[in-house]
Amino acid sequence: MERATLRDVARLAGVSVATASKALNGQPQVRASTRARVLQAASQLAFSPNTLAQGLVTQRTGTVGLLTSDLEGRFSIPILMGAEDAFGTDQTSVFLCDARGDSIREKHHVRALLSRRVDGLIVVGARPDSRPSLGHDLPVPVIYAYAPSDDPRDLSLVVDNEGGGRLAVDHLIRCGRRKIAHITGDATYGAAQDRARGALARLTEEGLAVAGGEVWFGMWSEAWGRGATRMLLERHPDVDAIFAGSDEIARGVLDVLHEERLDVPGRVAVVGYDNWTILTANARPPLTTIDMNLEQLGRVAAQRLFTAIGGTLGSGTEKFAPKLVTRESTAPLR
Amino acid sequence: MERATLRDVARLAGVSVATASKALNGQPQVRASTRARVLQAASQLAFSPNTLAQGLVTQRTGTVGLLTSDLEGRFSIPILMGAEDAFGTDQTSVFLCDARGDSIREKHHVRALLSRRVDGLIVVGARPDSRPSLGHDLPVPVIYAYAPSDDPRDLSLVVDNEGGGRLAVDHLIRCGRRKIAHITGDATYGAAQDRARGALARLTEEGLAVAGGEVWFGMWSEAWGRGATRMLLERHPDVDAIFAGSDEIARGVLDVLHEERLDVPGRVAVVGYDNWTILTANARPPLTTIDMNLEQLGRVAAQRLFTAIGGTLGSGTEKFAPKLVTRESTAPLR
DNA sequence: TACGTTCCTGAAAACCTTTTCGGCAACTCG
DNA sequence: CGAGTTGCCGAAAAGGTTTTCAGGAACGTA
């Protein structure tokens, strides 16, 4: 299966390569009949242009590098899908690189991508805390997604975790709940702090205090969700809603509530975080949760990068609003 | 940040581009001192070769296309990671494309990838049943992973599901179990059938029949796992092991056993399938399961493709053995 | 008929690298 | 001292495309 080149097309159409090129690219200075001949020849030969050669002369490759730090982590994937999707429609392809959290591996990948003359870079971090900038002496625009760059001159797109916490609590309040507890993950995660801050702020607005006396920080696991819920019920059996910092934790919460025969949502309402379908849809009952809209984040990152490729992209950190996904674990009281 | 070209390096080193190229590529016909000068110049200018130009002349781009049908699905990711990992060490990069199960979208992507002059293609399917071949008139080698091609002339790398079923049951038998049930997913999935066949074969070897009278096909969900387990316990309360067709189903199984206060693994042992960490590690107790070794599959696919790029790759379907991951949900009886 | 326009077309340069091959200098050896 | 080797280096072609610019043909006008 030998590939046809533009030369072959031109020869078959009886024109020069220059005209063939112009005909194929829709340049105006070619007669309609000539263009038709070229098009016909091209399709006959199943011609598809060599993008390497195109890139060499146009200085645009139509490729971007997507640099992730943890592919196995669940958060990179939706972002990646969003970006791939957005680019798919413009004809740009994405190079996927997984640095596995290793910074020298990351450097290596950046070098390779630049060597491939990508038009831009999207860096998606493993967790929503800031990460080291790639620097400013790069010849292409870089956009940071999920984990912001630690350099404010870079452009970062992140999730609004404070807004997410606020959203969850707001929903519970609207359901008539007044004794709302918050069980969440590792306190060293900025995300945990932000969500808690948002939750507390909304409670305060309503004149409420958090049930359980304080936010329960711990780990991002079902086991912690179970343990914390047991302690919580022991000390504050009258709690009527629990906002969990992740769907995993929420699963643990539900598990213990079920064990204790406390009806969800009749007696206690539960909200999770992440909208990780495998956990939320299968839960008993299916879990109301906060969706970070990561796919949208990826899509926007792609678009921003695309428009920035010619000119320049801004700087600073843009926050994206999460959304509430209601399922059966929450409902109005009575 | 303008990029240095080989010309710049050559000029700085006081040699021709030809010698500069040879020096950088380790060709022998260049004096040591000259090479040193070139190397020095290159590093001084932070030179990195333009791979587009290289590809144009060498007819090798050092890129492969990875065509997946369902990125969100959990099975593509490990394969993708394995491939990315294997390629990372050779300096080849991967173009990621998600066809979203749409065959015209897939065609589109293939065209684009060929236009980019990828050196090869890895096609990873959504489910382990056979899928349409991309055809044989492609100018690059293609390798099918997870979902085999429906054309035996293609090379496909798949998981040995029959072996997996056998492995699970074998483990349960070694744990002294004799009344082993199998609750699994959608009967229209080849994977479900294969796993069941392997399980039954191993039981027969031991002179055992499957507990519950037959294999319980249903859906790949926790809810089905719960429902099936309830029915099973009602009719056959003496079952001492359950092999679940997926970790999701296993979670449902565990849930009901827990509700019924049947000790796991003291009274009933449970084995899952997939080793989906988020489900298995958090289960109560942590779940023994079958790991399909998908990362290895991806790695091998990459290697096969790489060695095939020069020559030709074989055909047929190669099966890869899954492995047993033991956790606390299984243990010897008494 | 001579000249200026308007339309199309094609030759050639450019993009950056690899690779072949010829040539020059310095040797070795008879 | 001449001929044959050996070791390094550079000129040039090649890879496939886009784009600029010059020029030819056809036409209208004076």
Side-chain angles (χ1 to χ4, degrees), chain A residues 17-45:
Chain A
V17 287
T19 6
S21 170
K22 280 178 277 202
L24 259 16
N25 294 326
Q27 300 272 8
Q29 348 96 333
V30 31
R31 194 167 15 173
S33 65
T34 311
R35 184 187 308 274
R37 268 203 337 281
V38 172
L39 254 32
Q40 152 67 20
S43 87
Q44 183 175 333
L45 296 175

Side-chain angles (χ1 to χ4, degrees), chain A residues 255-274:
Chain A
D255 212 5
V256 169
L257 291 175
H258 193 249
E259 245 172 41
E260 301 294 326
R261 310 263 181 251
L262 293 173
D263 183 51
V264 176
R267 174 80 166 67
V268 182
V270 178
V271 174
Y273 209 104
D274 292 347

Side-chain angles (χ1 to χ4, degrees), chain A residues 89-157:
Chain A
T89 60
D90 320 305
Q91 45 272 359
T92 99
S93 306
V94 351
F95 276 119
L96 179 67
C97 298
D98 185 1
R100 279 167 178 58
D102 178 355
S103 85
I104 77 155
R105 200 180 178 111
E106 182 175 279
K107 280 198 183 52
H108 173 79
H109 275 142
V110 170
R111 269 190 77 85
L113 289 170
L114 291 179
S115 197
R116 296 223 125 83
R117 296 303 187 264
V118 292
D119 293 333
L121 245 32
I122 297 181
V123 179
V124 11
R127 38 182 280 189
D129 295 300
S130 79
R131 47 146 292 144
S133 171
L134 251 39
H136 293 269
D137 46 356
L138 296 177
V140 296
V142 182
I143 194 160
Y144 298 80
Y146 197 59
S149 161
D150 61 4
D151 186 331
R153 291 172 297 170
D154 291 322
L155 177 57
S156 307
L157 268 35

Side-chain angles (χ1 to χ4, degrees), chain A residues 70-78 276, chain B residues 77 81:
Chain A
D70 77 323
L71 246 189
E72 65 185 323
R74 56 203 121 135
F75 301 119
S76 306
I77 308 294
W276 200 1
Chain B
I77 307 295
M81 287 181 61

Side-chain angles (χ1 to χ4, degrees), chain A residues 224-253:
Chain A
W224 164 245
R226 288 193 288 260
T229 306
R230 275 197 207 96
M231 291 193 288
L232 177 67
L233 291 175
E234 203 166 297
R235 302 189 202 165
H236 304 274
D238 57 344
V239 62
D240 63 10
I242 300 178
F243 166 34
S246 78
D247 289 336
E248 276 184 88
I249 294 175
R251 284 294 293 251
V253 170

